[in-house]
Amino acid sequence: MKKTDHSPHLNLIIAPSILAADFGHLADNVRAVAAAGADWIHLDVMDGHFVPNISFGAPIIAALRPVTDLPFDCHLMIEPAEPFLADFAKAGADRIIIHAEATKHLDRALQMINDLGCKAGVALNPATPIEAVSHVLDRIDLVLLMTVNPGFGGQSFVASVLPKISDMRAMIGARDIRIEVDGGINAETAKQAIAAGADTLVAGSSVFSGTPDLWADHIAALRG
Ligand code: DX5
Ligand code: ZN
């Protein structure tokens, strides 16, 4: 079959965000969501400064590392990120995603992540233009386009990001860079984001709702 730009879902990645899990039973929830068909585990780190909420840091990620072999996709919503990158690498992050808005020296910070032996990604808030990553494409394997304003789970999908996903796909061209969307992703918005060119879906509340026996169905619904 001929692969076109807009059929990246042939290789769709689902990355459940444990922000919506039960923090009292995190290890069990990670095991359950892995068994339910998650491809990656998405870890939302918030500092109460770059975003108006605090979640968890590197020690929690280190504690979860022995629980699963799935890749850890660490989304840092912290400013500055640079002083903490080594901690997240040591905690077991496979990929470290930093916000373009949270560093003055994006290129240097991405080099630091690569030097730590991790994959690097850049996240952009809904209002940040894609040009923010146009000069660092050689340093990253993923762009995270926020489809909510970061800080909280359970918010509504910002549909004005859809044309931005298509523009990002065009900018990436033939490069091996994934487009991840994050925020308000459910079966309906997943379809829209995939049609626009996303190939990696973060989902918190739509995966972790209800009891763990339902999570495989929730993940399957995102795959469409
Ligand atoms: C928001 C986080 C998201 C969030 C997604 O700042 O980056 O990963 O957990 O949660 P839902 O899927 O509930 O919008
Ligand atoms: Zn996230």
Side-chain angles (χ1 to χ4, degrees), residues 35-153:
D39 298 301
W40 298 350
I41 302 295
H42 186 81
L43 299 137
D44 285 308
V45 177
M46 303 180 179
D47 67 353
H49 167 71
F50 177 64
V51 289
N53 195 12
I54 297 176
S55 58
F56 53 81
I60 299 289
I61 295 173
L64 292 173
R65 191 58 284 187
V67 169
T68 177
D69 289 335
L70 291 184
F72 275 6
D73 193 43
C74 293
H75 177 192
L76 304 188
M77 287 161 274
I78 65 175
E79 181 182 7
E82 288 90 332
F84 303 99
L85 296 175
D87 290 347
F88 288 101
K90 211 189 301 161
D94 292 276
R95 179 180 299 94
I96 298 177
I97 302 166
I98 55 175
H99 269 262
E101 305 88 353
T103 177
K104 291 192 181 76
H105 304 287
L106 183 59
D107 183 75
R108 177 188 288 147
L110 293 170
Q111 276 188 60
M112 289 170 69
I113 295 171
N114 287 149
D115 288 348
L116 288 163
C118 295
K119 295 174 176 168
V122 177
L124 303 178
N125 288 335
T128 303
I130 60 170
E131 283 69 27
V133 297
S134 62
H135 297 290
V136 294
L137 293 175
D138 290 344
R139 301 213 188 275
I140 60 178
D141 80 334
L142 177 144
V143 175
L144 189 167
L145 298 181
M146 289 304 305
T147 41
V148 297
N149 290 289
F152 303 94

Side-chain angles (χ1 to χ4, degrees), residues 152-181:
F152 303 94
Q155 303 183 83
S156 300
F157 183 80
V158 176
S160 60
V161 178
L162 286 169
K164 184 173 165 184
I165 298 170
S166 313
D167 293 350
M168 191 69 237
R169 180 56 64 196
M171 182 192 283
I172 287 171
R175 293 177 182 85
D176 194 11
I177 297 177
R178 306 194 71 90
I179 298 181
E180 182 171 56
V181 286

Side-chain angles (χ1 to χ4, degrees), residues 152-222:
F152 303 94
Q155 303 183 83
S156 300
F157 183 80
V158 176
S160 60
V161 178
L162 286 169
K164 184 173 165 184
I165 298 170
S166 313
D167 293 350
M168 191 69 237
R169 180 56 64 196
M171 182 192 283
I172 287 171
R175 293 177 182 85
D176 194 11
I177 297 177
R178 306 194 71 90
I179 298 181
E180 182 171 56
V181 286
D182 184 1
I185 299 295
N186 53 37
E188 186 47 42
T189 54
K191 216 183 294 168
Q192 298 169 18
I194 291 166
D199 55 18
T200 306
L201 310 178
V202 175
S205 32
S206 73
V207 168
F208 285 100
S209 62
T211 48
D213 56 305
L214 301 172
W215 298 348
D217 286 347
H218 295 165
I219 290 174
L222 295 174

